[in-house]
Amino acid sequence: MRAPMAPQMDDSAHTLTCAVGTEEPPPAGTVLSRTDGGYTVVELHGEIDLAVVLATTPQLYALTTAPAPRLVADLRPVSFIDCSGLALLVDIRARVLAGGGTFTLVCADPRVLRLLRITGLAAVLAPVPELPELSAPGAAGAGQGAMREGRRT
């Protein structure tokens, strides 16, 4: 049995960073951000708990302040998420939509999907199993269609 993760607010594993061609997987509790075709893709890794939420909320909120933000939250690398992580996703989604943007949640892990169903958040967050093809705003392509066809909630 693993020892519980001690909250360390200044731990670099809990900071929002940019993914830059690293081959090793990031440490558990890492949140990475990148821009791809006019979308901001936020990739969460490992265990998303209260310590990670407290450390990353300001940076995640900053991503929602752009006019009509186009945010994709990728949970595929997540092994655990608690209620504070789910609450943050709901809050981020609400901020993005209030700003006239789009929000897409990518999740394929059966445990996380089950948690979303049990909490009733599957209907709210509408997870998709794969990262949609992303294309620049105004560009014709499958990326825009995938984001518009029922994935914008």
Side-chain angles (χ1 to χ4, degrees):
M1 176 180 237
R2 282 188 6 209
M5 195 163 95
Q8 296 178 344
M9 299 306 285
D10 60 346
D11 186 349
S12 64
H14 296 139
T15 59
L16 187 68
T17 59
C18 291
V20 181
T22 59
E23 302 232 354
E24 289 185 31
T30 300
V31 178
L32 303 173
S33 173
R34 72 178 185 279
T35 303
D36 188 351
Y39 292 86
T40 300
V41 179
V42 177
E43 209 175 87
L44 292 87
H45 290 262
E47 297 182 359
I48 307 304
D49 60 10
L50 183 58
V52 174
V53 168
L54 291 174
T56 60
T57 296
Q59 294 92 342
L60 291 171
Y61 280 0
L63 297 175
T64 68
T65 60
R70 297 158 48 121
L71 192 96
V72 177
D74 188 356
L75 298 188
R76 291 176 300 168
V78 167
S79 60
F80 169 83
I81 187 165
D82 70 6
C83 60
S84 63
L86 295 176
L88 179 60
L89 288 173
V90 170
D91 192 28
I92 295 296
R93 174 192 171 271
R95 288 171 171 268
V96 167
L97 297 181
T102 61
F103 178 85
T104 302
L105 179 69
V106 181
C107 179
D109 186 307
R111 296 168 298 173
V112 176
L113 291 170
R114 182 174 183 266
L115 183 60
L116 291 172
R117 280 192 304 276
I118 289 170
T119 59
L121 293 176
V124 174
L125 296 173
V128 297
E130 298 282 331
L131 192 64
E133 183 180 326
L134 306 175
S135 57
Q144 275 188 311
M147 297 302 282
R148 289 188 180 152
E149 294 173 14
R151 303 300 179 217
R152 195 167 105 180
T153 49

